[in-house]
mmCIF file of all heavy atoms in Angstrom:
data_model
loop_
_atom_site.group_PDB
_atom_site.id
_atom_site.type_symbol
_atom_site.label_atom_id
_atom_site.label_comp_id
_atom_site.label_asym_id
_atom_site.label_seq_id
_atom_site.Cartn_x
_atom_site.Cartn_y
_atom_site.Cartn_z
ATOM 1 N N LEU A 630 19.046 41.519 -24.822
ATOM 2 C CA LEU A 630 20.155 42.079 -25.588
ATOM 3 C C LEU A 630 21.503 41.635 -25.012
ATOM 4 O O LEU A 630 22.462 41.384 -25.754
ATOM 5 C CB LEU A 630 20.058 43.607 -25.579
ATOM 6 C CG LEU A 630 18.878 44.241 -26.324
ATOM 7 C CD1 LEU A 630 18.930 45.749 -26.234
ATOM 8 C CD2 LEU A 630 18.884 43.783 -27.795
ATOM 9 N N VAL A 631 21.574 41.523 -23.698
ATOM 10 C CA VAL A 631 22.808 41.018 -23.076
ATOM 11 C C VAL A 631 23.028 39.560 -23.465
ATOM 12 O O VAL A 631 24.155 39.132 -23.757
ATOM 13 C CB VAL A 631 22.741 41.155 -21.529
ATOM 14 C CG1 VAL A 631 24.012 40.643 -20.893
ATOM 15 C CG2 VAL A 631 22.490 42.629 -21.150
ATOM 16 N N ASN A 632 21.948 38.772 -23.519
ATOM 17 C CA ASN A 632 22.062 37.390 -23.960
ATOM 18 C C ASN A 632 22.467 37.302 -25.412
ATOM 19 O O ASN A 632 23.236 36.420 -25.827
ATOM 20 C CB ASN A 632 20.720 36.684 -23.748
ATOM 21 C CG ASN A 632 20.835 35.177 -23.845
ATOM 22 O OD1 ASN A 632 21.938 34.581 -23.736
ATOM 23 N ND2 ASN A 632 19.717 34.513 -24.059
ATOM 24 N N LEU A 633 21.971 38.255 -26.233
ATOM 25 C CA LEU A 633 22.399 38.326 -27.647
ATOM 26 C C LEU A 633 23.914 38.503 -27.746
ATOM 27 O O LEU A 633 24.573 37.930 -28.612
ATOM 28 C CB LEU A 633 21.658 39.437 -28.337
ATOM 29 C CG LEU A 633 21.834 39.638 -29.836
ATOM 30 C CD1 LEU A 633 20.540 40.161 -30.448
ATOM 31 C CD2 LEU A 633 22.970 40.593 -30.168
ATOM 32 N N GLY A 634 24.475 39.335 -26.836
ATOM 33 C CA GLY A 634 25.917 39.535 -26.852
ATOM 34 C C GLY A 634 26.698 38.265 -26.624
ATOM 35 O O GLY A 634 27.812 38.101 -27.171
ATOM 36 N N LYS A 635 26.136 37.343 -25.852
ATOM 37 C CA LYS A 635 26.824 36.062 -25.630
ATOM 38 C C LYS A 635 26.985 35.288 -26.926
ATOM 39 O O LYS A 635 28.061 34.730 -27.209
ATOM 40 C CB LYS A 635 26.019 35.233 -24.622
ATOM 41 C CG LYS A 635 26.653 33.895 -24.308
ATOM 42 C CD LYS A 635 25.758 33.069 -23.395
ATOM 43 C CE LYS A 635 24.506 32.588 -24.084
ATOM 44 N NZ LYS A 635 23.741 31.633 -23.280
ATOM 45 N N TYR A 636 25.953 35.273 -27.758
ATOM 46 C CA TYR A 636 26.046 34.518 -29.010
ATOM 47 C C TYR A 636 26.893 35.259 -30.049
ATOM 48 O O TYR A 636 27.522 34.618 -30.906
ATOM 49 C CB TYR A 636 24.641 34.254 -29.540
ATOM 50 C CG TYR A 636 23.842 33.360 -28.627
ATOM 51 C CD1 TYR A 636 22.911 33.881 -27.733
ATOM 52 C CD2 TYR A 636 24.082 31.994 -28.600
ATOM 53 C CE1 TYR A 636 22.195 33.049 -26.881
ATOM 54 C CE2 TYR A 636 23.372 31.141 -27.714
ATOM 55 C CZ TYR A 636 22.459 31.707 -26.876
ATOM 56 O OH TYR A 636 21.768 30.877 -25.990
ATOM 57 N N VAL A 637 26.920 36.573 -29.968
ATOM 58 C CA VAL A 637 27.828 37.322 -30.839
ATOM 59 C C VAL A 637 29.268 37.004 -30.487
ATOM 60 O O VAL A 637 30.123 36.823 -31.383
ATOM 61 C CB VAL A 637 27.540 38.841 -30.731
ATOM 62 C CG1 VAL A 637 28.603 39.639 -31.460
ATOM 63 C CG2 VAL A 637 26.167 39.173 -31.275
ATOM 64 N N SER A 638 29.568 36.921 -29.190
ATOM 65 C CA SER A 638 30.943 36.554 -28.801
ATOM 66 C C SER A 638 31.300 35.144 -29.248
ATOM 67 O O SER A 638 32.445 34.871 -29.648
ATOM 68 C CB SER A 638 31.091 36.664 -27.279
ATOM 69 O OG SER A 638 30.301 35.693 -26.612
ATOM 70 N N ALA A 639 30.304 34.222 -29.237
ATOM 71 C CA ALA A 639 30.553 32.861 -29.720
ATOM 72 C C ALA A 639 30.829 32.863 -31.228
ATOM 73 O O ALA A 639 31.683 32.112 -31.704
ATOM 74 C CB ALA A 639 29.360 31.978 -29.384
ATOM 75 N N MET A 640 30.111 33.711 -31.972
ATOM 76 C CA MET A 640 30.358 33.803 -33.436
ATOM 77 C C MET A 640 31.736 34.368 -33.704
ATOM 78 O O MET A 640 32.448 33.908 -34.616
ATOM 79 C CB MET A 640 29.290 34.654 -34.084
ATOM 80 C CG MET A 640 27.942 33.965 -34.231
ATOM 81 S SD MET A 640 26.767 34.875 -35.274
ATOM 82 C CE MET A 640 26.252 36.161 -34.149
ATOM 83 N N LEU A 641 32.160 35.362 -32.925
ATOM 84 C CA LEU A 641 33.499 35.921 -33.115
ATOM 85 C C LEU A 641 34.579 34.879 -32.814
ATOM 86 O O LEU A 641 35.587 34.789 -33.516
ATOM 87 C CB LEU A 641 33.669 37.140 -32.230
ATOM 88 C CG LEU A 641 32.793 38.366 -32.566
ATOM 89 C CD1 LEU A 641 32.994 39.460 -31.539
ATOM 90 C CD2 LEU A 641 33.105 38.862 -33.979
ATOM 91 N N ALA A 642 34.359 34.098 -31.770
ATOM 92 C CA ALA A 642 35.318 33.058 -31.424
ATOM 93 C C ALA A 642 35.375 31.987 -32.531
ATOM 94 O O ALA A 642 36.443 31.501 -32.897
ATOM 95 C CB ALA A 642 34.961 32.424 -30.084
ATOM 96 N N ALA A 643 34.206 31.615 -33.057
ATOM 97 C CA ALA A 643 34.172 30.629 -34.155
ATOM 98 C C ALA A 643 34.855 31.167 -35.391
ATOM 99 O O ALA A 643 35.590 30.438 -36.085
ATOM 100 C CB ALA A 643 32.723 30.224 -34.451
ATOM 101 N N GLY A 644 34.660 32.469 -35.678
ATOM 102 C CA GLY A 644 35.325 33.079 -36.820
ATOM 103 C C GLY A 644 36.844 33.089 -36.658
ATOM 104 O O GLY A 644 37.605 32.855 -37.608
ATOM 105 N N ALA A 645 37.333 33.357 -35.447
ATOM 106 C CA ALA A 645 38.763 33.316 -35.194
ATOM 107 C C ALA A 645 39.344 31.912 -35.385
ATOM 108 O O ALA A 645 40.421 31.749 -35.943
ATOM 109 C CB ALA A 645 39.053 33.807 -33.787
ATOM 110 N N LYS A 646 38.577 30.896 -34.997
ATOM 111 C CA LYS A 646 39.046 29.513 -35.192
ATOM 112 C C LYS A 646 39.118 29.168 -36.670
ATOM 113 O O LYS A 646 40.063 28.498 -37.118
ATOM 114 C CB LYS A 646 38.102 28.540 -34.471
ATOM 115 C CG LYS A 646 38.132 28.632 -32.959
ATOM 116 C CD LYS A 646 37.093 27.706 -32.329
ATOM 117 C CE LYS A 646 37.013 27.908 -30.828
ATOM 118 N NZ LYS A 646 35.964 27.088 -30.201
ATOM 119 N N VAL A 647 38.121 29.614 -37.448
ATOM 120 C CA VAL A 647 38.119 29.347 -38.875
ATOM 121 C C VAL A 647 39.328 30.023 -39.537
ATOM 122 O O VAL A 647 40.026 29.431 -40.390
ATOM 123 C CB VAL A 647 36.800 29.826 -39.526
ATOM 124 C CG1 VAL A 647 36.902 29.806 -41.047
ATOM 125 C CG2 VAL A 647 35.633 28.957 -39.059
ATOM 126 N N ALA A 648 39.588 31.277 -39.157
ATOM 127 C CA ALA A 648 40.752 31.984 -39.704
ATOM 128 C C ALA A 648 42.061 31.317 -39.306
ATOM 129 O O ALA A 648 42.982 31.233 -40.104
ATOM 130 C CB ALA A 648 40.729 33.441 -39.232
ATOM 131 N N TYR A 649 42.113 30.781 -38.099
ATOM 132 C CA TYR A 649 43.336 30.114 -37.636
ATOM 133 C C TYR A 649 43.546 28.804 -38.404
ATOM 134 O O TYR A 649 44.688 28.403 -38.666
ATOM 135 C CB TYR A 649 43.249 29.856 -36.146
ATOM 136 C CG TYR A 649 44.397 29.085 -35.584
ATOM 137 C CD1 TYR A 649 45.683 29.605 -35.573
ATOM 138 C CD2 TYR A 649 44.199 27.785 -35.070
ATOM 139 C CE1 TYR A 649 46.761 28.884 -35.059
ATOM 140 C CE2 TYR A 649 45.245 27.075 -34.561
ATOM 141 C CZ TYR A 649 46.534 27.620 -34.538
ATOM 142 O OH TYR A 649 47.587 26.886 -34.054
ATOM 143 N N GLU A 650 42.434 28.123 -38.766
ATOM 144 C CA GLU A 650 42.564 26.891 -39.537
ATOM 145 C C GLU A 650 43.123 27.172 -40.934
ATOM 146 O O GLU A 650 43.841 26.339 -41.489
ATOM 147 C CB GLU A 650 41.219 26.198 -39.639
ATOM 148 C CG GLU A 650 40.726 25.599 -38.333
ATOM 149 C CD GLU A 650 39.342 24.976 -38.465
ATOM 150 O OE1 GLU A 650 38.800 25.038 -39.607
ATOM 151 O OE2 GLU A 650 38.829 24.454 -37.471
ATOM 152 N N LYS A 651 42.797 28.359 -41.488
ATOM 153 C CA LYS A 651 43.306 28.712 -42.807
ATOM 154 C C LYS A 651 44.784 29.111 -42.734
ATOM 155 O O LYS A 651 45.615 28.641 -43.531
ATOM 156 C CB LYS A 651 42.485 29.853 -43.402
ATOM 157 C CG LYS A 651 41.101 29.466 -43.848
ATOM 158 C CD LYS A 651 40.432 30.701 -44.506
ATOM 159 C CE LYS A 651 39.066 30.335 -45.033
ATOM 160 N NZ LYS A 651 38.403 31.526 -45.695
ATOM 161 N N GLU A 652 45.093 29.995 -41.825
ATOM 162 C CA GLU A 652 46.460 30.513 -41.700
ATOM 163 C C GLU A 652 46.947 30.278 -40.269
ATOM 164 O O GLU A 652 46.614 31.019 -39.366
ATOM 165 C CB GLU A 652 46.491 32.016 -42.026
ATOM 166 C CG GLU A 652 45.961 32.357 -43.409
ATOM 167 C CD GLU A 652 45.969 33.855 -43.657
ATOM 168 O OE1 GLU A 652 46.508 34.574 -42.781
ATOM 169 O OE2 GLU A 652 45.409 34.265 -44.664
ATOM 170 N N ARG A 653 47.717 29.241 -40.105
ATOM 171 C CA ARG A 653 48.205 28.896 -38.779
ATOM 172 C C ARG A 653 49.413 29.744 -38.425
ATOM 173 O O ARG A 653 50.551 29.358 -38.662
ATOM 174 C CB ARG A 653 48.568 27.393 -38.707
ATOM 175 C CG ARG A 653 47.353 26.485 -38.904
ATOM 176 C CD ARG A 653 47.709 25.037 -38.761
ATOM 177 N NE ARG A 653 46.509 24.193 -38.867
ATOM 178 C CZ ARG A 653 45.729 23.849 -37.863
ATOM 179 N NH1 ARG A 653 46.010 24.309 -36.649
ATOM 180 N NH2 ARG A 653 44.654 23.082 -38.053
ATOM 181 N N GLY A 654 49.131 30.906 -37.860
ATOM 182 C CA GLY A 654 50.201 31.789 -37.415
ATOM 183 C C GLY A 654 50.048 32.152 -35.949
ATOM 184 O O GLY A 654 48.972 31.984 -35.369
ATOM 185 N N ILE A 655 51.100 32.677 -35.395
ATOM 186 C CA ILE A 655 51.066 33.028 -33.966
ATOM 187 C C ILE A 655 50.085 34.161 -33.694
ATOM 188 O O ILE A 655 49.468 34.225 -32.618
ATOM 189 C CB ILE A 655 52.486 33.400 -33.481
ATOM 190 C CG1 ILE A 655 52.517 33.542 -31.978
ATOM 191 C CG2 ILE A 655 52.966 34.674 -34.194
ATOM 192 C CD1 ILE A 655 52.286 32.264 -31.232
ATOM 193 N N GLY A 656 49.894 35.025 -34.689
ATOM 194 C CA GLY A 656 48.949 36.130 -34.498
ATOM 195 C C GLY A 656 47.527 35.637 -34.375
ATOM 196 O O GLY A 656 46.792 36.039 -33.443
ATOM 197 N N TRP A 657 47.116 34.784 -35.304
ATOM 198 C CA TRP A 657 45.756 34.241 -35.234
ATOM 199 C C TRP A 657 45.586 33.358 -34.008
ATOM 200 O O TRP A 657 44.476 33.252 -33.453
ATOM 201 C CB TRP A 657 45.419 33.478 -36.504
ATOM 202 C CG TRP A 657 45.041 34.341 -37.649
ATOM 203 C CD1 TRP A 657 45.708 34.550 -38.787
ATOM 204 C CD2 TRP A 657 43.874 35.144 -37.713
ATOM 205 N NE1 TRP A 657 45.040 35.430 -39.611
ATOM 206 C CE2 TRP A 657 43.883 35.823 -38.974
ATOM 207 C CE3 TRP A 657 42.803 35.385 -36.868
ATOM 208 C CZ2 TRP A 657 42.890 36.694 -39.343
ATOM 209 C CZ3 TRP A 657 41.796 36.269 -37.249
ATOM 210 C CH2 TRP A 657 41.852 36.901 -38.474
#
Side-chain angles (χ1 to χ4, degrees):
L630 293 180
V631 181
N632 194 18
L633 185 148
K635 180 185 70 172
Y636 295 101
V637 171
S638 68
M640 285 191 283
L641 293 176
K646 292 176 187 176
V647 169
Y649 176 66
E650 290 177 0
K651 287 184 177 180
E652 302 177 9
R653 294 184 178 271
I655 189 66
W657 280 113

